Amino acid sequence: MKPTLCNALCAVLLLLSAPVLAAGGLSGTVVRASDKSPIPEVRVTATSPALTAPRSTVTDAQGGFRFPQLEEGVYSLRFEKESFQALIRTDITVKAGHEPRVDVALSAALQTRPSVLPPAPVDDDRERAPAWTLQHLPVLVPDGAWQTVYRASLGKPGSGVETRGFGVNPTIDTEESRVSEVPVAVDTSAYAVARDYLSRDVFPAEGAVRTEAFINSFDFGDEGEPYGPFLLYVEGFPSPSRKGYHVVRITVKAREPVREVGVQMEFNRKAVARYRLLGYEYLSPNPEPLDPGDETELFPLAAGQSVTAIHEVKVHGPSIAFGMLRVRYEQGNSSTWRRVQMMMPSSTLRSDYARAAPSTRLAYVASAFAEKLRGSFWTRALDWPRLLTLWEGIGEPLRARKDAAQLGALIRKAQSLDTRKERFERLMPGGSSDFDDVPSLGN
């Protein structure tokens, strides 16, 4: 009886330990780039489609960290500590029974604020700035005062320029304005309306499509770095539809209730020549001042709520960071404005679409779908079959999620219903055109 009992116990123990033996891990060391000395208390965050939520740890006194019991999959690691440049390592493969080492060196944070960076060299390509580029009033002013004038593209981006059929935001030269404001209050009903039209085999009117509504109709999870009451996420990749540009996604998600929220991206002129905000054409980016005695809370974010925006950014020079993300907010009973900010490192710009996070791919496909429905000039190089290919490239398991799967079905339906003529075809002899400029549509 004793051998039998012993064998049974061993079998049970083997079964219980099977998941452990099948798991992998990640470990490594974080040191200073200057002298290779270890850095303690660095926050290390692991993300992967194999995880239901990001996992975090901090380095010990010797700069070491370890993530045990990780499911097999492809992981990304984020390293962050105050006074150091954030660093990201991607495409780390974890297999059962293996524990890859990821040793990194962090550089000291830049001491120069992007707002006072020297101007870009005079011989860069800004001499080719399109004539329709808007003049802007500066929106970032000293002492944190966010007095802004927001450009609203109402079909008239500049005098003497034909704009019929554009109806979307123009591209801005950073010499004119290096700060982009992102409104927090987003009404997603425009996506539901477009979805309803397509379900009834009716192609939606271009003017009824709102790109920001399409983007913010999807849940992008809890990715991001904690800054105060927010999770901040920045990632980009080369634009599939606009040669020479990167798609940059930012997401600001509230971990705690906040009110009177304003979001801005300040681009580094040494790194970014031009940018365009997708959507938000008819919204004001900042809360209006309250009247005396008015207790209404404007533009709040409840815990778990988020806002996501996408820019097209033309990167024209190497730099550690291509800009700064700032979030201004009020919280609790305090009427004092607070601010968090995060540098946007160039390392977050992936080499291609496939290397971006699935959630970033989903956000881009949603935005490109909206711009395609709107007949945007900037999606003229992106036809319906290619957009479907990009949707398929979101990958599993996210692509199979109900809302993402429905997006693919809507793209197919729109493709079958789109009978519009190519209004820009005759403007692109040989299929080529200047991706910086907007030609006239003529009479």
Side-chain angles (χ1 to χ4, degrees), residues 1-14:
M1 293 295 293
K2 290 184 178 180
T4 302
L5 179 60
C6 181
N7 291 338
L9 289 174
C10 288
V12 172
L13 289 175
L14 284 173

Side-chain angles (χ1 to χ4, degrees), residues 257-261 328-332 334-338:
V258 287
R259 56 192 178 91
E260 300 270 356
V261 183
R328 177 177 181 253
Y329 65 100
E330 286 185 1
Q331 188 175 28
S334 173
S335 59
T336 302
W337 285 104
R338 304 177 185 179

Side-chain angles (χ1 to χ4, degrees), residues 11 69 84 127 134 168 177 203 242 265-267 287 311 328 346 385 393 418:
Q69 306 304 314
F84 289 89
E127 294 180 359
L134 289 183
V168 295
S177 174
F203 198 85
R242 194 174 183 188
M265 297 174 69
E266 181 182 8
F267 294 106
H311 289 75
R328 177 177 181 253
S346 297
D418 191 359

Side-chain angles (χ1 to χ4, degrees), residues 383-403:
D383 58 18
W384 289 113
R386 193 173 178 209
L387 181 57
L388 270 173
T389 299
L390 291 170
W391 171 80
E392 292 169 352
I394 292 172
E396 302 293 353
L398 182 57
R399 190 182 63 194
R401 200 177 72 186
K402 183 177 179 180
D403 57 348

Side-chain angles (χ1 to χ4, degrees), residues 31-263:
V31 299
R32 289 178 172 83
S34 57
D35 58 9
K36 308 304 179 186
S37 60
I39 310 177
E41 298 183 356
V42 175
R43 181 181 179 84
V44 187
T45 303
T47 58
S48 170
L51 296 176
T52 57
R55 289 178 55 180
S56 296
T57 187
V58 294
T59 56
D60 57 26
Q62 288 72 46
F65 69 92
R66 183 169 182 263
F67 290 99
Q69 306 304 314
L70 293 178
E71 297 290 336
E72 288 189 337
V74 178
Y75 285 76
S76 295
L77 292 180
R78 301 174 183 274
F79 303 85
E80 194 235 348
K81 184 178 180 179
E82 186 178 358
S83 301
F84 289 89
Q85 293 283 342
L87 186 66
I88 301 175
R89 287 286 182 264
T90 60
D91 299 325
I92 307 165
T93 301
V94 173
K95 296 182 179 180
H98 295 273
E99 187 171 296
R101 284 192 60 85
V102 183
D103 298 322
V104 302
L106 298 186
S107 301
L110 292 176
Q111 298 302 311
T112 304
R113 293 181 56 195
S115 59
V116 294
L117 285 171
V122 295
D123 60 348
D124 69 18
D125 71 349
R126 286 197 180 86
E127 294 180 359
R128 298 178 57 252
W132 54 266
T133 298
L134 289 183
Q135 299 285 333
H136 287 84
L137 296 178
V139 294
L140 185 70
V141 293
D143 301 324
W146 282 28
Q147 303 292 329
T148 66
V149 175
Y150 180 68
R151 54 175 172 74
S153 176
L154 301 177
K156 296 182 179 180
S159 60
V161 178
E162 176 61 70
T163 61
R164 289 173 297 172
F166 293 169
V168 295
N169 282 331
T171 301
I172 305 302
D173 193 305
T174 53
E175 286 294 342
E176 300 296 339
S177 174
R178 63 178 178 266
V179 179
S180 177
E181 298 280 347
V182 178
V184 172
V186 177
D187 182 358
T188 60
S189 61
Y191 179 66
V193 170
R195 189 174 59 215
D196 179 65
Y197 272 107
L198 290 170
S199 70
R200 293 186 282 111
D201 294 336
V202 178
F203 198 85
E206 293 179 358
V209 176
R210 296 286 180 268
T211 302
E212 70 279 0
F214 280 52
I215 298 170
N216 286 281
S217 291
F218 295 88
D219 180 6
F220 301 119
D222 293 322
E223 297 171 319
E225 297 296 327
Y227 281 80
F230 302 100
L231 287 174
L232 305 182
Y233 189 87
V234 177
E235 189 177 39
F237 56 88
S239 172
S241 62
R242 194 174 183 188
K243 186 177 179 180
Y245 284 74
H246 278 72
V247 171
V248 176
R249 164 214 168 183
I250 69 154
T251 296
V252 176
K253 186 166 189 173
R255 299 192 295 163
E256 307 166 14
V258 287
R259 56 192 178 91
E260 300 270 356
V261 183
V263 179

